[in-house]
């Protein structure tokens, strides 16, 4: 089982930053991805980033890289959410996780474990309904990949309070820990059911 971490957009992707320019999504998600990879490798879990480059790598190329591992992998794509176009502060806030429209049971189970980990850390989890801890959306990277796949929106880069939290050491550790706990609990269940 290979854990694949996608850190989303590249350096030159336009508009992917906070209104004050302090948080750049491509840089932030790479920092979190490195922390997650290090944390999982410490536990002996086989983990890698699928986009080591700083530049934007197309979705089709990212899917191709993921699919070289077949079904014996899981993909977690790390992002920060935005409500507006990045030019002004908005009000939406919180953490959320998505699966694709054609998501497998395992994708949903992975999303559920991640959301449960977020709830354990007492962060605001945005829900699609009171009972449902994850969202379903038309997401190329989740739908075209053959392994279980989720996309995580780690708070809003155009919400002032969320950005303060994201940029703090506490916030970075919290997001890293949510991802580590969710992935680890998914793997435990997966191995138990094998
Ligand atoms: Zn994004």
């Amino acid at each position: 089982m290979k854990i694949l971490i996608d850190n989303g957009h590249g350096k030159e992707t336009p508009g992917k930053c906070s209104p004050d320019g302090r948080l750049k999504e491509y840089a932030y998600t790479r920092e979190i991805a490195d922390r997650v990879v290090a944390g999982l490798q410490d536990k002996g879990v086989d983990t890698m980033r699928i986009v080591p480059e700083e530049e934007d790598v197309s979705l089709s190329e990212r899917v191709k890289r993921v699919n070289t591992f077949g079904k014996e992998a899981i993909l977690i794509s790390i992002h920060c959410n935005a409500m507006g176009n990045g030019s002004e502060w908005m009000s939406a806030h919180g953490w959320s996780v998505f699966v694709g429209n054609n998501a497998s049971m395992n994708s949903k189970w992975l999303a559920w474990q991640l959301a449960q980990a977020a709830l354990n850390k007492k962060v605001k989890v945005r829900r699609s309904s009171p009972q449902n801890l994850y969202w379903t959306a038309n997401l190329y990277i989740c739908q075209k990949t053959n392994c279980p796949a989720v996309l995580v929106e780690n708070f809003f880069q155009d919400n002032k309070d969320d950005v303060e939290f994201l940029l703090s050491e506490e916030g970075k550790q919290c997001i890293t820990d949510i991802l580590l706990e969710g992935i680890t609990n998914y793997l435990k269940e997966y191995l138990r059911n094998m």
Side-chain angles (χ1 to χ4, degrees), residues 9 25 79-80:
H9 318 283
E25 189 178 0
H79 292 254
C80 297

Side-chain angles (χ1 to χ4, degrees), residues 7-9 16 25 29 78-82 151-153 157:
N7 31 244
H9 318 283
K16 302 287 187 184
E25 189 178 0
T29 54
I78 301 177
H79 292 254
C80 297
N81 216 338
L151 187 148
V152 181
E153 295 282 11
Q157 62 197 8

Side-chain angles (χ1 to χ4, degrees), residues 74-78 97-100 106-112 114 139 141-142 145 147-152:
I74 58 173
L75 171 72
I76 296 94
S77 186
I78 301 177
V97 60
F98 290 76
V99 297
N106 280 341
S107 296
K108 293 174 183 172
W109 185 235
L110 175 58
W112 195 87
L114 287 161
L139 295 169
I141 197 149
C142 292
T145 43
C147 64
V150 299
L151 187 148
V152 181

Side-chain angles (χ1 to χ4, degrees), residues 1 8 44 48 58 67 77 82 85 94 102 129 132 138 147 155-156 184:
M1 173 73 79
M48 66 176 282
S58 71
N67 283 344
S77 186
N85 61 12
N102 62 349
S129 73
N132 204 347
N138 185 18
C147 64
F155 299 89
F156 281 78
T184 307

